[in-house]
Amino acid sequence: MDLKSRTLSNFAELVKTGECKKFKGRLKVGVDLGTANTVLAVVDTANRPIAGISAPSHAIQDGVIVNYFESVQLVTKLKETLEERLGTELLYAAAAIPPGVSEGSVKSIGYVLEGAGFEVTNIVDEPTAASAVLKITDGAVVDVGGGTTGISILKDGKVIYTDDEATGGSHMTMTVAGHYRIPYEEAEVLKTQPEKEAEIFPVIKATVEKMALITEKFLKGYQVPAVYVVGGSSMFTEFTSVFEKRLHLPVYRPVHPLLVTPLGIAYCCQLPELSSKKEVK
């Protein structure tokens, strides 16, 4: 197992068990306000995973806050839970947005974190956050979120293009709901059951093919050696093969693709100088 995979596996275990690693010094927090889940990732200054927590959330759609009060309440609750586990106050956090959202949406996401008691030190786009974990210098990172498919194209370690389009996991769920004539909530549960994957994937394959088509459109005019897919909606076994067939490129999916972006957001949290009054005891 390489270092990236080991780091992601360690973080996944922390989220699953609720345990925390011992730490020294200051901590950085990444807050991923997803369409289906909100995830908080805590790392130290060396970007070593220290703690993590996840909870279902429906207060944001396609990068737009649709229920500000609910979002603040949830982030506050998750923050307080982690602080109790860690025995320390979490002061600084970064957030992320799908590429191309409005300036107003960017501000709203920042306000949610501030309302929960964080000082917001950075807001990045989601695929760029993912690339920080994957340590990609050349290639395309495709973040398949609940509401959107977003992309960042990197060359020589720099992001040269970002974009997104509104097709994501929620569209898969709507397709499942329509096919089986069941409520959306039931379809979401059915979609995420591993034992049902062989039955469900043919139902949502056309939606995955559309995501691949969106990615192909984004890549037009750019030469990339490979594509890296992240996000919970990419977890289907055949997901990468659909993309490879459309793009004619190698397509890689890291372990625990749902957790790549929140961990990357934490990496992107910028700690201020120690002269900050909040840290002077």
Side-chain angles (χ1 to χ4, degrees):
M1 185 181 292
D2 61 23
L3 179 61
K4 296 187 292 291
S5 298
R6 190 161 60 248
T7 299
L8 282 164
S9 294
N10 289 341
F11 179 52
E13 187 66 16
L14 294 175
V15 173
K16 180 181 178 180
T17 64
E19 296 177 354
C20 303
K21 295 287 188 180
K22 293 181 180 179
F23 65 94
K24 292 182 179 179
R26 300 194 293 172
L27 297 174
K28 305 188 295 180
V29 182
V31 181
D32 188 1
L33 297 171
T35 300
N37 296 280
T38 289
V39 183
L40 269 63
V42 183
V43 302
D44 62 14
T45 53
N47 289 336
R48 185 174 64 100
I50 301 299
I53 193 169
S54 176
S57 172
H58 304 289
I60 187 168
Q61 293 179 6
D62 304 341
V64 178
I65 301 294
V66 295
N67 191 322
Y68 174 80
F69 181 69
E70 182 182 321
S71 296
V72 172
Q73 278 192 315
L74 178 59
V75 175
T76 300
K77 179 182 178 181
L78 298 179
K79 176 178 183 285
E80 289 174 348
T81 299
L82 287 177
E83 288 175 333
E84 184 176 348
R85 292 176 184 173
L86 291 162
T88 189
E89 185 180 4
L90 297 171
L91 300 174
Y92 305 109
I97 53 170
V101 302
S102 69
E103 184 179 346
S105 295
V106 175
K107 290 181 178 178
S108 296
I109 288 173
Y111 292 152
V112 168
L113 271 64
E114 290 173 354
F118 284 115
E119 182 174 323
V120 182
T121 66
N122 199 8
I123 297 180
V124 297
D125 68 82
E126 292 167 349
T128 300
S131 70
V133 174
L134 302 176
K135 303 199 181 299
I136 296 164
T137 55
D138 294 277
V141 179
V142 177
D143 190 335
V144 185
T148 62
T149 297
I151 191 170
S152 283
I153 298 176
L154 296 96
K155 184 175 178 60
D156 299 327
K158 295 182 179 180
V159 177
I160 60 172
Y161 176 82
T162 63
D163 205 346
D164 83 324
E165 193 164 313
T167 297
S170 60
H171 300 80
M172 292 180 177
T173 305
M174 286 187 284
T175 301
V176 173
H179 179 82
Y180 291 100
R181 298 184 179 180
I182 58 177
Y184 182 93
E185 292 74 17
E186 289 182 25
E188 180 67 24
V189 173
L190 183 63
K191 184 189 75 174
T192 55
Q193 292 177 341
E195 66 274 15
K196 292 287 187 179
E197 181 173 331
E199 177 184 340
I200 294 298
F201 192 78
V203 176
I204 54 93
K205 186 177 180 180
T207 306
V208 178
E209 289 172 340
K210 183 177 180 181
M211 294 171 181
L213 184 64
I214 290 169
T215 302
E216 181 183 46
K217 181 181 68 175
F218 290 154
L219 292 173
K220 191 173 182 179
Y222 295 93
Q223 297 294 324
V224 299
V227 172
Y228 302 81
V229 293
V230 300
S233 298
S234 70
M235 293 176 69
F236 290 93
T237 303
E238 296 183 48
F239 190 97
T240 54
S241 62
V242 171
F243 266 58
E244 286 179 335
K245 184 177 180 180
R246 182 78 206 185
L247 302 177
H248 306 290
L249 287 168
V251 179
Y252 302 104
R253 177 183 53 224
V255 297
H256 308 292
L258 176 64
L259 299 176
V260 175
T261 298
L263 189 59
I265 300 170
Y267 283 16
C268 295
C269 180
Q270 299 168 346
L271 293 175
E273 296 297 326
L274 281 169
S275 59
S276 171
K277 293 180 179 179
K278 294 182 77 173
E279 293 182 300
V280 175
K281 301 297 183 182

